[in-house]
Amino acid sequence: LAVSWVIERMCRKGAMIDRPYVERLVAELDERELRLRKTIEDEWRVSPGSAKEIIARLQADGVGLVKLTPKGDAYSTDKEALGAIDHPLTSLVLEYRKISKLTSTYLHGYLDLSQYDGRIHPSINSVGGRAKNPFEPGGQDGVRTGRSSANDPNLQNVPKRGEFKTAIRRSFRSADDHFWLSSDFDQVEMRGMAHASQDPGLRAAFLDPDDFFVVMGRSVFDDSGFLKEDPRRQLIKNGMYAKIYGAGPAQFARTAGLVHTDETGQKVPLVQEADRFLRSVDRLYPGVPKFAEAVIEAGEKRRREEGVGYVRSPLTGRRITCDPGREYALFNYYVQGMAAEIMKYKILQLDAAGLGEYMMFPVHDEIDMEVPREQRDEVIRTLGEVMNDDRLLSVPVTASVSIGPNWGELEEL
């Protein structure tokens, strides 16, 4: 309730859109989309929007299809299905879809929403869900974790990585004589998991001055020379997030790149290798699976005794519920709910410290601001004092600060 007032002021402030830049980018991508469509139609004799034609062409070329649509009545041509196929047509179709989505989902919307005052004023939903208004669909419930969301536009789905990350994020700029300032928590979900599980190995990794995943890598791979540039760091990172999100070995293998290409061109997850890796992590950090199991058992017990499965936040005591039979998801809700509450605590503290007028929006574990140039040093100093906290949890909460002329061209301080 307290943070909703601060968020309301963020909605009113909004974020400036660089309209001339967006218009040029739209024209460039529209031309690229037309070229891709022509190539797909002329060289492969299929329409890029027709799943039936794409499937028929792949089958004609001897590609073995595996994944079905949710209804199970046809083969799927979604991103995961086509991305697992090594064929020239699939890469063209995926690129065509990506370009089309960039213009239709992001850029045209930015122009439409900023046509009155040059700014977008998103509806920021402090407990998630489609809207804050309880009379609108989804507005009365929010989301299980309490993580905030935004619509018109959806700021959560703005690309954070990939080829077009910078291009799309550059659409958001700071006003003249201002700069864009972003503060992003460092592995806040991991820190929440270390605090909740009280696993000594995880806590020690966060207390070490080195990178958290590097410290883990030295233990997991028994390699004292493990460095941040080591490609195995991504394997550890994916594995730890798989723990939080409840991903099984197959899904973890796909996200971590533990796959091989079979004779039909399909990328098949190495499930056994992924399972062995996850089990080795559990052996090194046994507090995590033990705590996850305790959360699930508590939820099941409450379901039997009280009629609803839930877990309480360690920070606020808020009851986080689950649907019947989905008590396995409570560990995910617990960790993400803690991260959401930490962000809301910090938004309130930043507002109390006098930075409320500069905040534009929170997105995931990041808060973005538009700050007058003459206030630069003072705001950065205050941000550091508020966002970095060694008292809230049993491991330090830390955050990075980045600065630049727009959302896409930020440099970490």
Side-chain angles (χ1 to χ4, degrees), residues 272-344:
Q272 289 185 335
E273 185 175 336
D275 184 60
R276 281 196 300 271
F277 178 81
L278 292 175
R279 289 179 184 277
S280 70
V281 172
D282 283 346
R283 286 192 296 272
L284 278 171
Y285 306 99
V288 175
K290 183 179 179 181
F291 179 73
E293 185 178 333
V295 167
I296 295 169
E297 288 179 354
E300 292 172 341
K301 183 173 184 288
R302 286 163 174 160
R303 172 80 62 194
R304 292 191 301 270
E305 296 177 354
E306 303 176 40
V308 58
Y310 68 89
V311 64
R312 289 199 180 274
S313 162
L315 299 181
T316 65
R318 181 175 68 93
R319 194 172 74 162
I320 306 171
T321 64
C322 66
D323 290 331
R326 287 181 55 84
E327 284 75 17
Y328 63 85
L330 281 174
F331 180 61
N332 173 296
Y333 298 164
Y334 184 99
V335 175
Q336 287 206 59
M338 197 187 314
E341 289 176 347
I342 291 172
M343 173 57 81
K344 290 173 186 177

Side-chain angles (χ1 to χ4, degrees), residues 366-385:
E366 167 189 332
I367 184 73
D368 288 273
M369 302 181 177
E370 182 182 61
V371 180
R373 292 189 181 277
E374 64 271 17
Q375 299 293 324
R376 178 186 187 276
D377 293 341
E378 181 182 349
V379 170
I380 291 173
R381 182 174 61 254
T382 303
L383 257 178
E385 293 171 353

Side-chain angles (χ1 to χ4, degrees), residues 214-411:
V214 169
V215 176
M216 285 191 67
R218 291 170 185 162
S219 296
V220 171
F221 296 107
D222 192 22
D223 181 358
S224 60
F226 193 97
L227 300 174
K228 194 170 184 177
E229 298 75 25
D230 194 308
R232 293 174 296 176
R233 179 183 180 275
Q234 189 62 39
L235 190 66
I236 295 173
K237 186 175 181 179
N238 284 47
M240 294 306 292
Y241 280 104
K243 297 291 181 186
I244 291 177
Y245 292 102
Q251 183 60 31
F252 161 60
R254 293 188 192 96
T255 58
L258 292 174
V259 297
H260 77 277
T261 304
D262 66 13
E263 63 277 3
T264 66
Q266 289 278 351
K267 293 178 181 177
V268 181
L270 298 170
V271 177
Q272 289 185 335
E273 185 175 336
D275 184 60
R276 281 196 300 271
F277 178 81
L278 292 175
R279 289 179 184 277
S280 70
V281 172
D282 283 346
R283 286 192 296 272
L284 278 171
Y285 306 99
V288 175
K290 183 179 179 181
F291 179 73
E293 185 178 333
V295 167
I296 295 169
E297 288 179 354
E300 292 172 341
K301 183 173 184 288
R302 286 163 174 160
R303 172 80 62 194
R304 292 191 301 270
E305 296 177 354
E306 303 176 40
V308 58
Y310 68 89
V311 64
R312 289 199 180 274
S313 162
L315 299 181
T316 65
R318 181 175 68 93
R319 194 172 74 162
I320 306 171
T321 64
C322 66
D323 290 331
R326 287 181 55 84
E327 284 75 17
Y328 63 85
L330 281 174
F331 180 61
N332 173 296
Y333 298 164
Y334 184 99
V335 175
Q336 287 206 59
M338 197 187 314
E341 289 176 347
I342 291 172
M343 173 57 81
K344 290 173 186 177
Y345 271 136
K346 294 308 174 183
I347 287 174
L348 290 173
Q349 291 172 7
L350 290 171
D351 183 56
L355 303 189
E357 63 182 295
Y358 305 137
M359 290 189 283
M360 293 182 290
F361 52 80
V363 54
H364 301 301
D365 300 315
E366 167 189 332
I367 184 73
D368 288 273
M369 302 181 177
E370 182 182 61
V371 180
R373 292 189 181 277
E374 64 271 17
Q375 299 293 324
R376 178 186 187 276
D377 293 341
E378 181 182 349
V379 170
I380 291 173
R381 182 174 61 254
T382 303
L383 257 178
E385 293 171 353
V386 172
M387 298 292 279
N388 295 284
D389 191 329
D390 59 3
R391 294 175 296 178
L392 185 61
L393 304 179
S394 56
V395 296
V397 173
T398 64
S400 62
V401 176
S402 301
I403 190 171
N406 56 63
W407 201 13
E409 298 176 308
L410 298 175
E411 291 188 7

